[in-house]
Amino acid sequence: MILSLHHDLPESESSFARFQAASVLKSLKALDSRARRKGLEALDPARGALIPIGMEIENGRVVKNGYGVFDLPWQAQEHPGWPDKIAAELDEIREGIRAAHRVPIKFLIWVGMGGSAEDKAMYQAAGLLRRGPRLYLLDSTDPAKLNSILADMKKRSGLNNGDLLRRTLVIGMAMGMTSFEPVVNLQKLAAMYDAAGVDSRPNFYYMTFPGSLLDQFAAKRGYRRVPLQLDEANTTAGRHSAPMNRGSLYALGLAGVDLRAWIEGTFLSEEEVDTAWRLASFLHVQGLAGRDKVTLLLPRVWVGAGIWTKQAFEESLGKSVEYGLKIVIGERVRLTNYRAPKDPLQDRVFWCVQIKGAHDAGAEKLALLRRSGYPVAALTLPKDTGLSRYTQFVHYVVFGLAWLRKINFVTQPNVELYKTIANKLYAESEHAGGIAKTKEWRQTEETPRKSVWRGRVTLRWDRLPEIQVQGTTAPALYAALVKHFTGDRQATCGELTFFGDTRYSARGRAVRTVLDRAAEGLFHARLKMPADVYEGPAMNHSYHETIIGHGGCFSTIVMAESGEKADYHRAQYLATQMALAERGRAVVSLTLRDLDDASLRALDEFFRQAATLIRQAK
């Protein structure tokens, strides 16, 4: 690995030297070894500088070691039989389904959120899962997602419900004790098997902690629990599932990926770890200087790793109000969308990843940015570098930033806040007879702080503090709100999140296209700031930690009115807004009457008019 730093001002070498002076890697290995040999009770949080960075502490005691993300590759070097162990487990799953139903596995539905799903999306985008069962990610409780998945499976196979379900492997995964989304979706799938008269037990496996909500549901159904880690321990966070947990290895193994080579790719040398911490030092210093929007440029073959990388950084580091880094992905390099390098408000730093010998436009973009005077980190990887090496490298970069900033990189308090609110809302909805009858939902529906556009799009800003804005139309009011929060730099980035399926549903993909245009036309071009566009609530579990925690974002949460009962999904939609408001973050909502063409045209027009008004005000 070769790291080249350009316009490294203020210099970052002195920050990197701190890793050498403190012998961080040696200390990291010693701490993890002691935790495994002597137990957590032997650790004193007050006497170990690394303990508050990567372990969970309650009442002055260490209750969880979170350094498994590094320890698992270290252990793998001592356990060469691990790849064969995974292969044997997958053979057992295949044979179990064949023995019960006399059919092979044709489809794989992976039920999970955030870190339990994003690594599979990355592998699929990188082409690693082409050879195995066709993978579908059920990472939302929106009924449209499951319906669209099943419709696609039927279209591809031509099978009836019973034969389709017999050929489907279902794996549920939850890296938290309170994750309810997988339970909602597994309940629906289990009911389908029951209705078709198909025994679901050979087809359902799950990965979670003993006693979790997922474990409580699945164990009663007689489903088999698979340990998350090959060492049977619990030392990794959800976003650390890649590259070494069973959550990653099962999907890869089913697709015929060489697991031995994959695991060996995680064995980083001390020089490679130093490179990761040198990059962390550069990003740290640039962030302190106000350049905290890390614009990530990946090689074309790995472009799907952008979301996973963003999640790894932001969910791990976003909880700090003082420090923050925004990982910007999916942008085209356009100098007109950036402030000039010498502009005091210029907040971009660029990280370009290249694979030696790969033909890509990255070199030209890198040269353009470097000549223009922007701070750039160029990471060049050897030819044929595997994705597992990149993901493990990213974990070391994230840890390096956490160590420099004294941030715990394994906890996620703001994700837990949103989940707690969602579960309370859902519990109330069941008592009240539906989410629409809950107090919070009624208050939102009845708020006077709303404006309707074309009879199809309703803007609500009831979760904002009392502020004076002027506008005679919904787009004008939205533009005024955006200008209010971005004008004095309360917000330096945007968020456009659609609570619905954007992966498998044609209507959802159309919404995503409208939101992408809004991000480019309103935020990038007009305000020269990045904007995240993604699907909720997956975003909440992936990188919403930084939006709620560090802040600095103007959030627009979008959902269509649905005739199909989806109370938990709607509870998540409202809980997202409530969690943001509780932390004093700027959030508004847009409700679409439906997803018909007329409504999507109205939404597109809404954003175009708002962008025009923002331009006229400049």
Side-chain angles (χ1 to χ4, degrees):
M1 295 182 179
I2 300 174
L3 179 67
S4 302
L5 304 178
H6 306 277
H7 306 292
D8 181 20
L9 296 171
E11 60 81 25
S12 60
E13 185 62 26
S14 57
S15 292
F16 171 67
R18 292 167 55 189
F19 288 96
Q20 306 297 314
S23 300
V24 174
L25 184 59
K26 181 179 178 181
S27 299
L28 196 58
K29 290 183 175 181
L31 172 63
D32 184 77
S33 175
R34 185 181 183 195
R36 286 192 292 115
R37 287 184 294 106
K38 298 186 176 182
L40 300 182
E41 60 276 5
L43 305 179
D44 182 356
R47 300 183 62 183
L50 291 174
I51 292 176
I53 303 298
M55 297 188 176
E56 296 182 21
I57 302 169
E58 293 180 4
N59 301 319
R61 296 176 56 252
V62 177
V63 295
K64 181 178 178 179
N65 172 15
Y67 282 118
V69 66
F70 305 126
D71 174 59
L72 287 173
W74 297 338
Q75 287 193 63
Q77 297 177 57
E78 303 170 1
H79 295 85
W82 275 4
D84 295 333
K85 181 176 175 61
I86 293 294
E89 292 173 6
L90 295 178
D91 284 342
E92 183 179 348
I93 290 173
R94 292 188 189 95
E95 289 306 312
I97 291 177
R98 189 178 294 276
H101 306 309
R102 294 183 173 84
V103 295
I105 300 172
K106 186 176 181 64
F107 299 106
L108 168 60
I109 297 180
W110 200 281
V111 184
M113 297 286 299
S116 298
E118 294 297 356
D119 54 341
K120 269 70 71 176
M122 171 174 59
Y123 304 153
Q124 196 168 46
L128 296 177
L129 306 184
R130 290 195 188 106
R131 294 173 50 200
R134 187 169 186 84
L135 170 73
Y136 295 90
L137 293 174
L138 187 50
D139 57 349
S140 168
T141 56
D142 176 24
K145 177 153 285 189
L146 179 54
N147 293 341
S148 296
I149 287 173
L150 294 172
D152 190 72
M153 291 166 63
K154 289 180 180 179
K155 180 180 178 181
R156 291 177 183 276
S157 67
L159 298 171
N160 61 39
N161 275 359
D163 288 339
L164 187 74
L165 296 175
R166 290 183 182 92
R167 289 167 169 81
T168 301
L169 171 63
V170 178
I171 298 181
M173 182 174 175
M175 297 291 282
M177 296 294 290
T178 59
S179 295
F180 188 53
E181 299 92 341
V183 177
V184 173
N185 284 319
L186 287 175
Q187 285 174 333
K188 293 179 182 178
L189 286 165
M192 291 178 185
Y193 277 79
D194 292 344
V198 178
D199 184 1
S200 60
R201 288 173 297 178
N203 299 66
F204 279 54
Y205 288 75
Y206 68 102
M207 302 176 184
T208 191
F209 308 125
S212 70
L213 292 179
L214 174 55
D215 185 44
Q216 293 174 41
F217 162 77
K220 290 179 182 178
R221 295 277 314 193
Y223 300 148
R224 179 174 171 181
R225 185 174 70 85
V226 179
L228 289 158
Q229 298 178 194
L230 278 156
D231 64 351
E232 313 293 319
N234 169 24
T235 56
T236 48
R239 57 199 170 280
H240 296 159
S241 176
M244 281 293 294
N245 275 6
R246 280 187 174 89
S248 273
L249 298 176
Y250 267 29
L252 294 165
L254 285 166
V257 172
D258 184 342
L259 294 184
R260 188 169 303 280
W262 176 269
I263 291 173
E264 289 176 356
T266 67
F267 302 166
L268 270 59
S269 67
E270 290 188 15
E271 291 76 13
E272 289 171 320
V273 173
D274 281 346
T275 300
W277 289 344
R278 194 179 293 276
L279 175 59
S281 300
F282 175 73
L283 297 178
H284 168 66
V285 171
Q286 289 293 320
L288 295 183
R291 293 179 285 276
D292 56 2
K293 307 300 187 299
V294 184
T295 305
L296 177 62
L297 307 177
L298 289 168
R300 187 177 294 109
V301 68
W302 284 356
V303 70
I307 287 288
W308 180 89
T309 306
K310 183 178 182 67
Q311 171 196 350
F313 273 83
E314 296 190 15
E315 191 171 339
S316 300
L317 304 171
K319 59 187 70 70
S320 169
V321 176
E322 180 182 5
Y323 299 114
L325 284 178
K326 169 68 65 176
I327 304 297
V328 183
I329 59 174
E331 276 194 0
R332 295 179 181 177
V333 174
R334 292 178 176 171
L335 297 187
T336 56
N337 286 355
Y338 309 139
R339 296 182 183 274
K342 294 185 179 180
D343 186 330
L345 297 182
Q346 199 293 102
D347 58 2
R348 298 275 188 156
V349 56
F350 294 85
W351 172 20
C352 182
V353 179
Q354 302 172 93
I355 301 176
K356 191 173 183 180
H359 296 289
D360 206 289
E364 291 80 3
K365 296 175 182 178
L366 173 63
L368 174 63
L369 294 166
R370 189 177 65 243
R371 288 196 306 268
S372 299
Y374 290 98
V376 175
L379 178 68
T380 303
L381 304 175
K383 185 179 180 180
D384 299 326
T385 295
L387 196 55
S388 64
R389 202 164 203 82
Y390 168 79
T391 56
Q392 192 63 18
F393 178 86
V394 167
H395 289 315
Y396 275 103
V397 177
V398 170
F399 165 81
L401 280 157
W403 185 80
L404 288 168
R405 298 180 172 195
K406 293 181 172 57
I407 295 173
N408 186 298
F409 80 110
V410 299
T411 57
Q412 50 177 31
N414 295 306
V415 172
E416 294 300 328
L417 169 66
Y418 139 79
K419 287 163 60 176
T420 298
I421 296 174
N423 289 343
K424 286 182 179 178
L425 280 173
Y426 183 62
E428 184 184 347
S429 75
E430 290 196 306
H431 178 73
I435 190 71
K437 296 181 180 180
T438 62
K439 177 182 177 182
E440 288 289 346
W441 191 274
R442 291 200 313 271
Q443 285 182 348
T444 293
E445 287 288 305
E446 298 166 5
T447 179
R449 302 172 75 192
K450 65 181 178 181
S451 179
V452 181
W453 176 247
R454 303 301 192 206
R456 291 183 173 274
V457 180
T458 302
L459 166 69
R460 291 182 176 86
W461 61 98
D462 54 309
R463 299 289 168 180
L464 292 176
E466 292 290 343
I467 55 176
Q468 296 298 319
V469 292
Q470 295 182 344
T472 57
T473 66
L477 287 163
Y478 183 79
L481 291 168
V482 171
K483 286 186 288 186
H484 174 85
F485 285 96
T486 60
D488 59 0
R489 307 287 288 177
Q490 290 184 62
T492 58
C493 61
E495 172 199 356
L496 298 164
T497 298
F498 173 59
F499 268 70
D501 174 42
T502 61
R503 196 187 304 272
Y504 304 111
S505 162
R507 292 284 86 192
R509 291 194 297 269
V511 174
R512 174 64 191 257
T513 298
V514 172
L515 297 183
D516 283 336
R517 278 200 296 267
E520 174 62 28
L522 197 157
F523 289 96
H524 300 169
R526 299 291 186 269
L527 298 171
K528 298 186 183 300
M529 63 173 54
D532 295 329
V533 181
Y534 204 51
E535 176 185 315
M539 170 184 275
N540 303 24
H541 286 250
S542 296
Y543 50 86
H544 223 249
E545 185 76 32
T546 193
I547 298 174
I548 300 178
H550 181 64
C553 183
F554 186 90
S555 296
T556 305
I557 312 299
V558 185
M559 191 177 73
E561 297 176 2
S562 173
E564 187 169 354
K565 182 176 174 59
D567 278 356
Y568 192 74
H569 186 65
R570 295 202 287 172
Q572 292 173 308
Y573 161 78
L574 186 55
T576 299
Q577 300 170 58
M578 294 170 65
L580 287 163
E582 184 173 315
R583 291 290 189 265
R585 308 312 183 200
V587 57
V588 301
S589 67
L590 293 174
T591 306
L592 309 181
R593 192 171 82 181
D594 49 43
L595 294 180
D596 290 348
D597 288 342
S599 294
L600 297 189
R601 286 195 298 270
L603 181 64
D604 194 38
E605 184 187 20
F606 171 90
F607 283 119
R608 285 191 285 107
Q609 288 212 13
T612 299
L613 291 167
I614 286 176
R615 179 178 59 187
Q616 291 174 347
K618 293 186 68 175

